[in-house]
Amino acid sequence: AWAAQARLTQLTEGARPQEVAAARAEVAAAQAAQQRLSSGPQEAERITAEVVQGSAIESWLQQQALHGGLPGEDAARAWFETHKEQLRIPERVRVSHVFLSGHDRTKPDRTAEVTELHRKLVAGEAALAQLAAKASEDERSRKRGGELGWISRERVPEDLAQRVFSLPVAQLSAPFQTRLGWHIAIVHEKRPSRLPDFSEVRAEVMAMLDQHWRESALKRLKQELREKAHITLNEAALRM
């Protein structure tokens, strides 16, 4: 469980959602196994049997791979050429903001506050990074001077995306309100949507093809085991 948690912690914010989800699932599975092991000797024995069986299956898969069944670089490139549109990198912007929450019941209207913050920025009394570190209520970006990093439309609420993606680069926005609260934002850079190079997604494609191959190979193994199994029905027991 510790190793799985460490891998999850090492993932950067730029990691693909699928990678983060897989890491979280690994952590959950490891934690569940630990809980099961502490349930008693019978459960521990059952888990040990599962591990042995899993090792045997993994050994069989490795043997299958040695016989040339595992997809290689050529298969990955062929899949990429056919499906590259599915891997399109969305439009992204690198943005910073100063944020005041709209969910403070003691402050239902914060227009005056955000207007004053904007005045200070326009007058040059403070830089956005300094003001964000001091006054922003987005705890995550506040620690980085208001920096949200590279974001796509899918990663932020729709009303916020509409505003920041329409901003020109390096132009401070006027204060604006979303369902979350009030913002003052600036876009540092923009990157248009584009198709990735194969080198950028090679590892992801190879992992996906490997997973599909493993699933197909395990299906074949199960079918072979069923065909080799000899099942004798106890007719008398069935009539009882």
Side-chain angles (χ1 to χ4, degrees):
W2 179 87
Q5 182 65 55
R7 283 192 288 276
L8 176 58
T9 303
Q10 289 171 359
L11 283 177
T12 65
E13 292 182 2
R16 293 175 180 271
Q18 300 96 316
E19 296 172 337
V20 177
R24 285 177 176 161
E26 185 179 354
V27 169
Q31 291 173 340
Q34 281 187 336
Q35 291 175 353
R36 290 167 61 195
L37 280 169
S38 63
S39 298
Q42 290 184 339
E43 187 65 17
E45 289 177 7
R46 191 157 70 88
I47 293 175
T48 300
E50 290 177 1
V51 171
V52 171
Q53 184 183 52
S55 298
I57 292 174
E58 189 61 34
S59 177
W60 180 84
L61 286 170
Q62 290 174 3
Q63 290 297 319
Q64 296 298 304
L66 288 175
H67 287 83
L70 193 64
E73 182 93 3
D74 290 343
R77 285 186 177 275
W79 188 95
F80 170 75
E81 291 300 327
T82 305
H83 302 87
K84 65 174 66 176
E85 188 62 41
Q86 297 177 20
L87 302 173
R88 174 176 287 276
I89 298 171
E91 177 188 12
R92 293 179 294 163
V93 296
R94 186 169 70 85
V95 61
S96 295
H97 75 158
V98 178
F99 171 74
L100 297 181
S101 174
H103 299 285
D104 187 339
R105 293 182 179 180
T106 66
K107 300 177 180 179
D109 186 355
R110 310 189 71 176
T111 303
E113 289 179 76
V114 75
T115 299
E116 175 59 16
L117 293 175
H118 185 261
R119 184 198 67 77
K120 289 181 179 180
L121 290 170
V122 172
E125 296 178 15
L128 188 140
Q130 296 171 328
L131 205 58
K134 181 180 179 180
S136 182
E137 295 175 358
D138 177 359
E139 292 298 328
R140 184 178 179 186
S141 65
R142 178 180 180 173
K143 298 174 183 177
R144 300 182 300 182
E147 177 80 40
L148 288 171
W150 287 99
I151 61 173
S152 62
R153 293 180 184 270
E154 294 77 17
R155 288 188 58 187
V156 295
E158 183 179 357
D159 52 355
L160 178 58
Q162 288 176 349
R163 298 302 293 264
V164 297
F165 276 85
S166 65
L167 287 174
V169 173
Q171 180 176 309
L172 185 71
S173 77
F176 62 92
Q177 187 177 1
T178 67
R179 287 176 294 175
L180 297 176
W182 286 261
H183 310 255
I184 303 169
I186 186 168
V187 170
H188 306 290
E189 299 178 74
K190 289 188 176 186
R191 290 178 181 171
S193 174
R194 65 177 179 86
L195 293 174
D197 295 327
F198 176 70
S199 59
E200 295 177 273
V201 295
R202 178 186 178 279
E204 183 179 342
V205 172
M206 293 287 287
M208 181 271 298
L209 292 180
D210 177 73
Q211 182 61 30
H212 286 179
W213 174 83
R214 290 171 67 89
E215 291 172 358
S216 178
L218 287 174
K219 267 188 175 181
R220 293 198 310 272
L221 174 60
K222 289 177 182 178
Q223 184 61 36
E224 289 175 9
L225 292 175
R226 288 194 188 98
E227 292 173 355
K228 292 178 181 178
H230 297 286
I231 301 173
T232 303
L233 295 178
N234 186 331
E235 299 291 347
L238 290 176
R239 288 194 294 267
M240 289 177 65

